[in-house]
Amino acid sequence: NLHPRWNERFLCSRQGDKPGGRDRVERTLLFQLHVHHVWRNPVLCGEAEFGIDNLWTRAGHSGGSPQTVPVPLFKKGEQTGVLQIQIAMQGPGGASAANLLSSTG
C-alpha cells in the first residue's frame, strides 16, 4: 500500500511549567513509522520529532479549520518519506487535536 491511512487521533494540552514553577519543559512529539512483517521483525522506515509548541502555533493559525502539515521522516540522517498530519484547535478549552493521515515516500 503506497498511500496508507491510519486515521488516528490524539489531543494534547499546552506545554506546562516544570514542577515548582521554574523553567518551562520543552515537550516533543515523536512519530516513528514501522513496517510490520509476518515472518520478520518490524523495520523502522523513518521518524520525525518536533515541539508541541510548534504544533500549537500551527493549529492556532489555522482559523479553526484543520490544516495539513507535511512532516519529513528521517532514518540515519537521510529523508525516507513524508508523513502528512492534520491539526486544528478543538473545543472551548482550546485543546489541540492532530489526526494522523497518511505517509508518502
mmCIF file of all heavy atoms in Angstrom, residues 3 8-10 12 15 40 44 52 54 59-60 64 68 70 73 77 88-89 91 95 101:
data_model
loop_
_atom_site.group_PDB
_atom_site.id
_atom_site.type_symbol
_atom_site.label_atom_id
_atom_site.label_comp_id
_atom_site.label_asym_id
_atom_site.label_seq_id
_atom_site.Cartn_x
_atom_site.Cartn_y
_atom_site.Cartn_z
ATOM 1 N N HIS A 3 -0.150 4.376 -0.225
ATOM 2 C CA HIS A 3 -0.825 5.524 0.387
ATOM 3 C C HIS A 3 -1.659 5.066 1.587
ATOM 4 O O HIS A 3 -2.888 5.153 1.563
ATOM 5 C CB HIS A 3 -1.703 6.240 -0.636
ATOM 6 C CG HIS A 3 -0.940 6.758 -1.801
ATOM 7 N ND1 HIS A 3 -0.136 7.867 -1.720
ATOM 8 C CD2 HIS A 3 -0.827 6.300 -3.058
ATOM 9 C CE1 HIS A 3 0.432 8.073 -2.889
ATOM 10 N NE2 HIS A 3 0.030 7.131 -3.721
ATOM 11 N N GLU A 8 -5.768 8.006 12.945
ATOM 12 C CA GLU A 8 -5.598 8.037 14.395
ATOM 13 C C GLU A 8 -5.764 9.475 14.857
ATOM 14 O O GLU A 8 -5.467 10.415 14.135
ATOM 15 C CB GLU A 8 -4.200 7.535 14.788
ATOM 16 C CG GLU A 8 -3.944 6.095 14.443
ATOM 17 C CD GLU A 8 -4.734 5.138 15.299
ATOM 18 O OE1 GLU A 8 -5.027 5.473 16.458
ATOM 19 O OE2 GLU A 8 -5.057 4.055 14.802
ATOM 20 N N ARG A 9 -6.213 9.655 16.082
ATOM 21 C CA ARG A 9 -6.443 10.991 16.615
ATOM 22 C C ARG A 9 -5.906 11.073 18.027
ATOM 23 O O ARG A 9 -6.049 10.134 18.806
ATOM 24 C CB ARG A 9 -7.933 11.280 16.618
ATOM 25 C CG ARG A 9 -8.268 12.626 17.127
ATOM 26 C CD ARG A 9 -9.766 12.773 17.201
ATOM 27 N NE ARG A 9 -10.036 14.111 17.658
ATOM 28 C CZ ARG A 9 -10.936 14.887 17.147
ATOM 29 N NH1 ARG A 9 -11.696 14.469 16.167
ATOM 30 N NH2 ARG A 9 -11.121 16.092 17.619
ATOM 31 N N PHE A 10 -5.290 12.199 18.357
ATOM 32 C CA PHE A 10 -4.863 12.425 19.733
ATOM 33 C C PHE A 10 -5.047 13.890 20.081
ATOM 34 O O PHE A 10 -5.097 14.750 19.215
ATOM 35 C CB PHE A 10 -3.411 11.993 19.952
ATOM 36 C CG PHE A 10 -2.409 12.821 19.196
ATOM 37 C CD1 PHE A 10 -1.838 13.939 19.771
ATOM 38 C CD2 PHE A 10 -2.046 12.476 17.903
ATOM 39 C CE1 PHE A 10 -0.922 14.706 19.072
ATOM 40 C CE2 PHE A 10 -1.139 13.241 17.196
ATOM 41 C CZ PHE A 10 -0.576 14.361 17.778
ATOM 42 N N CYS A 12 -3.717 17.067 22.757
ATOM 43 C CA CYS A 12 -2.646 17.469 23.672
ATOM 44 C C CYS A 12 -2.972 18.842 24.222
ATOM 45 O O CYS A 12 -3.649 19.640 23.584
ATOM 46 C CB CYS A 12 -1.293 17.463 22.971
ATOM 47 S SG CYS A 12 -1.153 18.616 21.610
ATOM 48 N N GLN A 15 1.838 23.341 26.734
ATOM 49 C CA GLN A 15 3.039 22.974 27.480
ATOM 50 C C GLN A 15 2.970 23.595 28.868
ATOM 51 O O GLN A 15 2.649 24.756 29.027
ATOM 52 C CB GLN A 15 4.243 23.510 26.708
ATOM 53 C CG GLN A 15 5.551 23.350 27.390
ATOM 54 C CD GLN A 15 6.658 23.713 26.426
ATOM 55 O OE1 GLN A 15 6.701 23.178 25.335
ATOM 56 N NE2 GLN A 15 7.500 24.614 26.810
ATOM 57 N N ARG A 40 9.122 -11.558 9.879
ATOM 58 C CA ARG A 40 10.327 -10.882 10.356
ATOM 59 C C ARG A 40 9.964 -9.829 11.397
ATOM 60 O O ARG A 40 8.800 -9.485 11.573
ATOM 61 C CB ARG A 40 11.054 -10.196 9.190
ATOM 62 C CG ARG A 40 11.539 -11.146 8.137
ATOM 63 C CD ARG A 40 12.305 -10.417 7.067
ATOM 64 N NE ARG A 40 11.448 -9.451 6.389
ATOM 65 C CZ ARG A 40 11.889 -8.493 5.594
ATOM 66 N NH1 ARG A 40 13.160 -8.337 5.396
ATOM 67 N NH2 ARG A 40 11.058 -7.677 5.000
ATOM 68 N N LEU A 44 12.057 -0.143 10.988
ATOM 69 C CA LEU A 44 11.854 1.298 11.086
ATOM 70 C C LEU A 44 12.074 1.922 9.714
ATOM 71 O O LEU A 44 13.142 1.787 9.117
ATOM 72 C CB LEU A 44 12.829 1.918 12.096
ATOM 73 C CG LEU A 44 12.790 3.439 12.223
ATOM 74 C CD1 LEU A 44 11.451 3.903 12.799
ATOM 75 C CD2 LEU A 44 13.942 3.930 13.078
ATOM 76 N N ILE A 52 5.877 20.442 20.779
ATOM 77 C CA ILE A 52 4.438 20.621 20.954
ATOM 78 C C ILE A 52 4.062 22.088 20.731
ATOM 79 O O ILE A 52 3.017 22.384 20.174
ATOM 80 C CB ILE A 52 3.988 20.144 22.352
ATOM 81 C CG1 ILE A 52 4.206 18.642 22.511
ATOM 82 C CG2 ILE A 52 2.549 20.527 22.637
ATOM 83 C CD1 ILE A 52 3.300 17.773 21.688
ATOM 84 N N ASN A 54 5.305 24.091 18.574
ATOM 85 C CA ASN A 54 5.202 24.241 17.121
ATOM 86 C C ASN A 54 3.826 23.764 16.651
ATOM 87 O O ASN A 54 3.176 24.410 15.832
ATOM 88 C CB ASN A 54 6.318 23.459 16.433
ATOM 89 C CG ASN A 54 6.335 23.662 14.929
ATOM 90 O OD1 ASN A 54 5.577 24.424 14.376
ATOM 91 N ND2 ASN A 54 7.223 22.939 14.274
ATOM 92 N N ALA A 59 -1.624 25.049 14.735
ATOM 93 C CA ALA A 59 -3.067 24.849 14.933
ATOM 94 C C ALA A 59 -3.757 26.182 15.189
ATOM 95 O O ALA A 59 -4.868 26.407 14.718
ATOM 96 C CB ALA A 59 -3.302 23.888 16.087
ATOM 97 N N GLY A 60 -3.107 27.086 15.917
ATOM 98 C CA GLY A 60 -3.690 28.390 16.216
ATOM 99 C C GLY A 60 -3.837 29.268 14.995
ATOM 100 O O GLY A 60 -4.730 30.110 14.929
ATOM 101 N N GLY A 64 -9.319 27.625 13.064
ATOM 102 C CA GLY A 64 -10.323 26.656 13.498
ATOM 103 C C GLY A 64 -10.555 25.518 12.538
ATOM 104 O O GLY A 64 -11.164 24.528 12.893
ATOM 105 N N THR A 68 -3.305 20.766 7.042
ATOM 106 C CA THR A 68 -2.423 19.642 6.750
ATOM 107 C C THR A 68 -0.972 20.105 6.838
ATOM 108 O O THR A 68 -0.610 21.122 6.260
ATOM 109 C CB THR A 68 -2.713 19.065 5.357
ATOM 110 O OG1 THR A 68 -4.079 18.632 5.321
ATOM 111 C CG2 THR A 68 -1.811 17.881 5.044
ATOM 112 N N PRO A 70 3.003 18.754 6.396
ATOM 113 C CA PRO A 70 3.926 17.694 5.985
ATOM 114 C C PRO A 70 5.043 17.554 7.017
ATOM 115 O O PRO A 70 5.634 18.542 7.439
ATOM 116 C CB PRO A 70 4.473 18.187 4.647
ATOM 117 C CG PRO A 70 4.343 19.672 4.696
ATOM 118 C CD PRO A 70 3.174 19.972 5.602
ATOM 119 N N LEU A 73 10.157 12.441 7.288
ATOM 120 C CA LEU A 73 10.655 11.305 8.076
ATOM 121 C C LEU A 73 12.116 11.054 7.713
ATOM 122 O O LEU A 73 12.490 11.117 6.547
ATOM 123 C CB LEU A 73 9.835 10.049 7.762
ATOM 124 C CG LEU A 73 8.361 10.108 8.140
ATOM 125 C CD1 LEU A 73 7.617 8.933 7.545
ATOM 126 C CD2 LEU A 73 8.203 10.136 9.649
ATOM 127 N N GLY A 77 19.861 9.981 9.241
ATOM 128 C CA GLY A 77 20.184 11.258 8.626
ATOM 129 C C GLY A 77 19.684 11.449 7.207
ATOM 130 O O GLY A 77 19.867 12.502 6.619
ATOM 131 N N ALA A 88 -5.697 20.952 14.232
ATOM 132 C CA ALA A 88 -6.691 22.008 14.431
ATOM 133 C C ALA A 88 -6.912 22.194 15.917
ATOM 134 O O ALA A 88 -6.680 21.273 16.707
ATOM 135 C CB ALA A 88 -8.007 21.652 13.751
ATOM 136 N N MET A 89 -7.366 23.395 16.294
ATOM 137 C CA MET A 89 -7.772 23.650 17.676
ATOM 138 C C MET A 89 -9.134 22.999 17.870
ATOM 139 O O MET A 89 -9.940 22.958 16.952
ATOM 140 C CB MET A 89 -7.864 25.145 17.944
ATOM 141 C CG MET A 89 -6.541 25.860 17.758
ATOM 142 S SD MET A 89 -5.275 25.265 18.869
ATOM 143 C CE MET A 89 -5.404 26.461 20.148
ATOM 144 N N GLY A 91 -12.517 22.446 20.682
ATOM 145 C CA GLY A 91 -13.258 22.677 21.908
ATOM 146 C C GLY A 91 -13.021 24.029 22.554
ATOM 147 O O GLY A 91 -12.122 24.763 22.190
ATOM 148 N N ALA A 95 -7.964 22.803 23.266
ATOM 149 C CA ALA A 95 -7.025 21.685 23.110
ATOM 150 C C ALA A 95 -6.652 21.550 21.641
ATOM 151 O O ALA A 95 -7.449 21.862 20.767
ATOM 152 C CB ALA A 95 -7.652 20.382 23.607
ATOM 153 N N LEU A 101 -2.771 11.258 9.147
ATOM 154 C CA LEU A 101 -3.466 10.947 7.909
ATOM 155 C C LEU A 101 -2.775 9.867 7.091
ATOM 156 O O LEU A 101 -3.294 8.801 6.896
ATOM 157 C CB LEU A 101 -3.617 12.211 7.063
ATOM 158 C CG LEU A 101 -4.534 13.264 7.623
ATOM 159 C CD1 LEU A 101 -4.580 14.453 6.696
ATOM 160 C CD2 LEU A 101 -5.912 12.698 7.828
#
